[in-house]
Amino acid sequence: MNERQKLVQAINQETGLDIDKIDELIEIPPQPTLGDYAFPCFVLAKTLRKAPAAIAAELAVKLGRQLTDFERVESVGGYLNFFISRSSFITSTIMDVRARGAKFGSAEAPTADPVIIEYSSPNIAKPFHVGHAFTTILGHSLARIYKHLGYNVVRMNHLGDYGTQFGKLIVAYEMWGDETALQAEPIKELLRIYVKFHTEAEKDPELEVQARERFRRLEAGEAAEEALWTRFRDLSLKEFSEVYERLGVSFDNYNGESFYSNQIPAVVDLLTEKGLLESSEGAQVVRLDEFNLPPCIILKSDGTTIYASRDIAAVLYRYQQWHFAKNIYVVGTPQALHFRQVFAVLKKAGFDFADDCVHVGFGLVRFADRKLSTRSGDVIYLQDLLQEAVDKTHEVIRANAAARSLDLTEEKMSEIAEKVGIGAVTYTFLKNSRERDIVFSYEEMLDFEGDSAPYVLYTYARGRSILRKAAAEPGYSIEVSEAALLRLDTDEEFAIAKLIESFPQSVVKAAQTYEPFMVVRQITQLARAFNKFYHNEPVLSTADPELRQARLALVDAVCDVLYIGMELAGINPVEQM
Ligand code: ARG
């Protein structure tokens, strides 16, 4: 048990307050003079019928007696301030990391509740642009965070593979499709003929009629149309997979919009049975006045289904299939209204799981300095962004290697550049609260001293290199005694231990608020604390063997936590750079 857990347990014993509630109420005071933890006693005033200050004063004495390895407990106003003993805090923190290993920061008793996380969801035959990168990276990290906390995560890619545009693509492909181009760069070719369709249709409206007819045939399951659609879908997916592979992202399920299209009649029946469908200007809608929302269109006037009805069918399917405890949509903020409407329709239809559906929105992506090389128009392809980041990282690594006369082969450098460059992009998406717009700047992204992936990766690699050197000594053992660990008590060591100890809370908070930046920020701070420690205190050259061993154990714990944090963010650690 670490100090915080001991504290929670002691407060629970003295007050009978719920453990989770206590954990939530515990604060980290802004100034060290107010202790290492604080607990506000105001919640107890009602039940105990006493003033918070009096409660705090009484509890300070009782808890002071009970918490033997704390330095002292004080009361100030209605607050309890706890002062921990540095060395025992550092010791129990390191022992905790060593005991739990890769599971550090995960739930000790996992719930295994099913959680659906839908992310990425690009559109077939359309470029995978930087906005899709945001949902992909954010969702991937959330999936890992939830998994780490013990949930049974289902990662879904709700592909945009349905709609009238497929009728247009079929017509366009038959008229102007270039087979070789389609094989080589499918999305580029599909985009070309799609754009051509629109310019041509302006001159010849007959094309639109043909497209509608082809879409109708596709919906009816006609072989020729279905074959083409399947091809477009497969080719697009192949191209998306290259991006996913590069990012290290994967999915458990690729049910796209088309998968749900034949479930719409059941949705319509259900809404009709419940008396929720109304005609409005020829369309079938569900009114949502009581939610202060515009009506949700279920069927258009021509009887075709829309995006929202496919989403409603999808939720029903997901619930039936997985009985989710949570159904999370990582989709840009501009779609907030759409999701509010979908959830409101479900609520109105009496499905309680509507309350377990969450839309996790995010901001826009902008570019600060230069114009990024784009292949067509002003969409920025993710592949181009990744490649540019990797190339620039390669330059930096080559320069660093030359400056420090490191012996790195060209091949090794490429391998490191790939991981660091991709990590740098990932980090940029996750470093701030997700609702904030992202401004890309290579200077910031690749700043080895700033808040960046290279900074964290470099710190990790440095820690690992210290440990490698120690391990290469004859007779080295990673064992460390408690007595040795108790020798750690400097400001720098204490700062590191505090950040490690609060890491599990940041993982939980990141999950609760759908904000992976909380984990990213925590490991960045840990990297900073580590570099300060390493700058001020010797590790390998510590003369006293016991203290040296303890410091190595601290380095080891830092590396473990940085590793877990990077994994949760979807950043691939490198052992050397
Ligand atoms: N394919 C859509 C797009 O690229 C996003 C889909 C979001 N998910 C959903 N269930 N509606 O904009």
Side-chain angles (χ1 to χ4, degrees):
M1 216 187 312
N2 64 30
E3 315 302 286
R4 188 186 173 109
Q5 288 162 328
K6 285 180 201 159
L7 182 64
V8 172
Q9 200 178 55
I11 298 178
N12 165 266
Q13 273 167 17
E14 289 299 338
T15 66
L17 264 182
D18 182 52
I19 301 258
D20 290 336
K21 181 79 195 161
I22 299 171
D23 206 38
E24 211 182 288
L25 286 171
I26 288 180
E27 296 169 16
I28 312 277
Q31 294 142 17
T33 52
L34 295 174
D36 301 293
Y37 297 111
F39 184 79
C41 295
F42 307 94
V43 279
L44 296 164
K46 234 192 184 147
T47 44
L48 298 178
R49 294 165 179 270
K50 264 190 218 165
I55 298 171
E58 235 169 73
L59 279 175
V61 178
K62 286 189 188 161
L63 290 167
R65 253 183 250 134
Q66 202 178 330
L67 293 163
T68 45
D69 50 357
F70 276 61
E71 220 168 74
R72 58 184 200 279
V73 184
E74 285 176 355
S75 69
V76 179
Y79 276 89
L80 280 166
N81 295 334
F82 301 88
F83 295 79
I84 54 190
S85 135
R86 278 187 178 193
S87 51
S88 54
F89 178 81
I90 300 171
T91 302
S92 60
T93 304
I94 296 178
M95 296 209 312
D96 207 22
V97 177
R98 288 170 88 87
R100 302 216 63 212
K103 287 208 154 72
F104 180 72
S106 68
E108 307 211 6
T111 70
D113 276 350
V115 169
I116 293 184
I117 306 187
E118 185 211 292
Y119 56 104
S120 200
S121 310
N123 300 320
I124 294 303
K126 296 271 176 65
F128 197 103
H129 58 73
V130 291
H132 289 119
F134 208 156
T135 142
T136 306
I137 287 166
L138 194 57
H140 176 58
S141 172
L142 284 173
R144 287 196 166 173
I145 289 171
Y146 272 87
K147 186 132 198 233
H148 194 66
L149 292 175
Y151 292 90
N152 190 358
V153 175
V154 185
R155 300 162 303 172
M156 294 202 90
N157 195 336
H158 188 82
L159 291 174
D161 59 1
Y162 199 77
T164 43
Q165 73 269 28
F166 288 99
K168 296 178 187 171
L169 272 176
I170 290 169
V171 172
Y173 179 73
E174 284 175 354
M175 297 184 73
W176 314 292
D178 174 344
E179 193 47 42
T180 335
L182 188 67
Q183 287 293 344
E185 285 183 281
I187 294 181
K188 193 177 167 194
E189 172 63 3
L190 290 171
L191 191 65
R192 180 188 72 83
I193 59 172
Y194 189 66
V195 170
K196 188 165 172 73
F197 179 90
H198 285 275
T199 36
E200 295 297 322
E202 264 178 33
K203 292 173 254 165
D204 178 9
E206 173 59 20
L207 286 174
E208 296 277 1
V209 180
Q210 280 178 31
R212 268 200 295 281
E213 170 58 12
R214 301 309 286 270
F215 179 61
R216 192 198 60 72
R217 290 173 59 90
L218 176 64
E219 273 204 293
E222 298 286 348
E225 283 73 13
E226 204 158 284
L228 275 176
W229 172 85
T230 307
R231 240 184 117 221
F232 298 157
R233 190 182 191 271
D234 290 351
L235 285 168
S236 302
L237 257 184
K238 206 170 129 242
E239 215 173 304
F240 297 153
S241 308
E242 285 164 21
V243 178
Y244 294 145
E245 212 163 286
R246 225 172 162 189
L247 291 172
V249 169
S250 46
F251 299 92
D252 301 304
N253 189 300
Y254 283 90
N255 285 353
E257 291 183 39
S258 67
F259 178 84
Y260 303 101
S261 75
N262 64 7
Q263 298 168 32
I264 309 280
V267 171
V268 174
D269 289 349
L270 185 115
L271 296 175
T272 313
E273 247 166 61
K274 298 198 185 243
L276 302 181
L277 272 192
E278 287 175 35
S279 307
S280 163
E281 293 163 33
Q284 295 292 309
V285 308
V286 176
R287 294 198 145 275
L288 300 170
D289 302 337
E290 64 274 47
F291 298 91
N292 271 325
L293 292 171
C296 182
I297 306 178
I298 304 294
L299 286 177
K300 285 196 284 193
S301 49
D302 60 2
T304 55
T305 66
I306 68 155
Y307 188 54
S309 28
R310 294 193 285 279
D311 259 324
I312 293 168
V315 188
L316 296 175
Y317 175 85
R318 288 176 190 184
Y319 192 73
Q320 183 207 331
Q321 204 72 4
W322 291 286
H323 276 84
F324 56 75
K326 243 179 222 266
N327 175 29
I328 300 168
Y329 296 85
V330 185
V331 181
T333 303
Q335 296 197 32
L337 176 63
H338 162 75
F339 285 107
R340 288 221 302 274
Q341 287 178 300
V342 168
F343 304 160
V345 169
L346 293 166
K347 186 89 187 161
K348 193 163 173 170
F351 296 113
D352 287 338
F353 56 72
D355 296 330
D356 304 318
C357 295
V358 195
H359 170 221
V360 171
F362 52 82
L364 299 172
V365 187
R366 290 185 285 125
F367 291 83
D369 34 20
R370 79 212 72 217
K371 255 186 66 185
L372 212 104
S373 43
T374 56
R375 279 184 255 181
S376 62
D378 46 20
V379 226
I380 291 168
Y381 285 60
L382 180 61
Q383 279 288 27
D384 294 345
L385 176 69
L386 294 179
Q387 196 50 49
E388 203 161 336
V390 169
D391 291 344
K392 287 207 189 303
T393 309
H394 202 132
E395 282 165 32
V396 179
I397 290 188
R398 191 180 286 119
N400 278 356
R404 289 158 50 218
S405 20
L406 289 184
D407 186 21
L408 285 175
T409 60
E410 218 15 69
E411 198 191 340
K412 188 80 200 158
M413 278 196 274
S414 307
E415 195 188 308
I416 298 172
E418 174 76 14
K419 284 193 179 169
V420 177
I422 305 281
V425 174
T426 302
Y427 187 101
T428 305
F429 279 105
L430 301 181
K431 79 182 228 193
N432 289 315
S433 170
R434 58 186 157 78
E435 308 262 7
R436 273 190 34 193
D437 289 354
I438 288 185
V439 184
F440 258 98
S441 131
Y442 281 115
E443 208 182 308
E444 260 179 52
M445 220 159 97
L446 300 178
D447 180 357
F448 278 55
E449 300 296 318
D451 290 346
S452 68
Y455 179 73
V456 178
L457 283 161
Y458 184 67
T459 307
Y460 172 78
R462 172 182 261 176
R464 294 289 302 161
S465 132
I466 296 170
L467 295 168
R468 271 198 305 274
K469 281 192 193 128
E473 294 161 4
Y476 174 81
S477 153
I478 87 154
E479 292 309 318
V480 64
S481 67
E482 191 169 336
L485 292 176
L486 283 166
R487 305 257 324 257
L488 300 171
D489 70 349
T490 64
D491 287 352
E492 289 83 359
E493 289 154 353
F494 188 44
I496 289 178
K498 277 184 154 182
L499 288 163
I500 294 180
E501 192 266 352
S502 57
F503 178 79
Q505 277 91 40
S506 43
V507 179
V508 170
K509 286 217 172 97
Q512 279 168 349
T513 56
Y514 316 101
E515 288 284 17
F517 92 87
M518 294 190 177
V519 172
V520 169
R521 191 179 53 190
Q522 186 88 7
I523 57 170
T524 309
Q525 284 171 348
L526 179 58
R528 287 229 181 276
F530 176 78
N531 283 316
K532 197 161 166 208
F533 157 78
Y534 190 64
H535 181 79
N536 293 342
E537 285 166 47
V539 178
L540 286 170
S541 56
T542 306
D544 181 326
E546 195 184 51
L547 186 58
R548 182 178 192 264
Q549 198 64 6
R551 288 192 173 148
L552 283 167
L554 183 68
V555 174
D556 193 28
V558 169
C559 285
D560 281 353
V561 177
L562 289 178
Y563 188 95
I564 296 169
M566 286 191 277
E567 284 269 304
L568 293 181
I571 295 170
N572 280 321
V574 283
E575 296 297 312
Q576 186 192 6
M577 70 183 261

